[in-house]
Amino acid sequence: MDTTSLGLIECGSLARGSLVCDAMLKTAHVHLLMASPVSPGKLLIGINGAIAEVEAAMEKGLQVCEEQLVDALFLPRVHAELARAFHTSLAAGGVAAMGVVETASVSSALRAADASLKAAQVRLLSLRLGAGIGGKAVYHLAGEVADVEAAVEAGVGAIRISSLLVQTAILPRPHPDFAAYLDGGAGQEPPPRGVVSFEEEE
């Protein structure tokens, strides 16, 4: 399956969101990435697949969601690392510098993360979407300082509504304990529900 396309709908009702998710999956040949409740009582639905299939599923989902639509996102050619971010194992490797981008919505974080990854030689350490953080989202990047700075700047630039950006941070030479916590260090526990991260290809 071509998994280079990603779609996301945030529905303001859990019951309506169930109808939306079912309708999307019945409309097109797409893969369900997540159907997760997030604060305050929303359902976050993520899908991927071929561009035309995701586009058709999103169109149907938006029709069914109607006035309960909170936000939506369609990335027709998503960066491969962001697509893999819906796996469950963390990447391994040292962290020269770390960038953090925190947003007020899940859709804005995905759009920003895609732009960050396309702008510089960085990798995605973690991506947390909505659950347990009040519906906000945050992602962490690793790379050389200049690349991390460029990636964070590109991510911020991709957020179309300035109020959706909560905060950013750049950590040159982050403390090894903190870096290992996000970067597959010894003793890592599986990410809690609502945290998604990626495993690098060899």
Side-chain angles (χ1 to χ4, degrees):
M1 180 191 295
D2 176 3
T3 58
T4 61
S5 181
L6 184 146
L8 183 106
I9 289 179
E10 291 183 69
C11 185
S13 160
L14 297 173
R16 179 67 63 84
S18 300
L19 293 173
V20 170
C21 184
D22 187 58
M24 292 171 74
L25 296 175
K26 288 176 177 176
T27 296
H29 184 60
V30 294
H31 178 249
L32 182 65
L33 296 174
M34 64 190 308
S36 303
V38 297
S39 299
K42 301 182 294 183
L43 189 67
L44 182 64
I45 305 155
I47 58 171
N48 71 345
I51 292 174
E53 298 291 333
V54 171
E55 191 171 24
M58 288 291 293
E59 182 178 353
K60 183 64 174 180
L62 292 172
Q63 290 174 357
V64 175
C65 198
E66 295 182 337
E67 74 281 355
Q68 291 295 332
L69 178 65
V70 175
D71 202 357
L73 174 69
F74 174 53
L75 292 174
R77 289 177 179 82
V78 67
H79 191 283
E81 289 190 5
L82 187 58
R84 289 198 304 272
F86 290 86
H87 297 174
T88 56
S89 56
L90 292 166
V95 177
M98 183 186 297
V100 188
V101 178
E102 178 185 6
T103 67
S105 77
V106 170
S107 294
S108 59
L110 290 173
R111 184 178 291 110
D114 187 53
S116 289
L117 292 167
K118 290 174 178 176
Q121 293 296 313
V122 294
R123 59 193 176 91
L124 190 62
L125 291 177
S126 72
L127 175 68
R128 183 160 188 165
L129 304 175
I133 53 175
K136 297 192 298 182
V138 62
Y139 64 92
H140 296 76
L141 304 164
E144 297 299 324
V145 174
D147 288 322
V148 169
E149 289 175 342
V152 168
E153 182 179 356
V156 170
I159 299 173
R160 298 172 183 173
I161 302 173
S162 60
S163 61
L164 292 178
L165 176 65
V166 176
Q167 191 75 55
T168 65
I170 296 175
L171 290 68
R173 299 180 302 279
H175 191 284
D177 288 352
F178 180 56
Y181 177 76
L182 291 172
D183 195 37
Q188 273 278 56
E189 297 181 356
R193 188 174 182 84
V195 178
V196 290
S197 54
F198 84 101
E199 181 176 11
E200 289 185 311
E201 293 178 342
E202 297 181 356

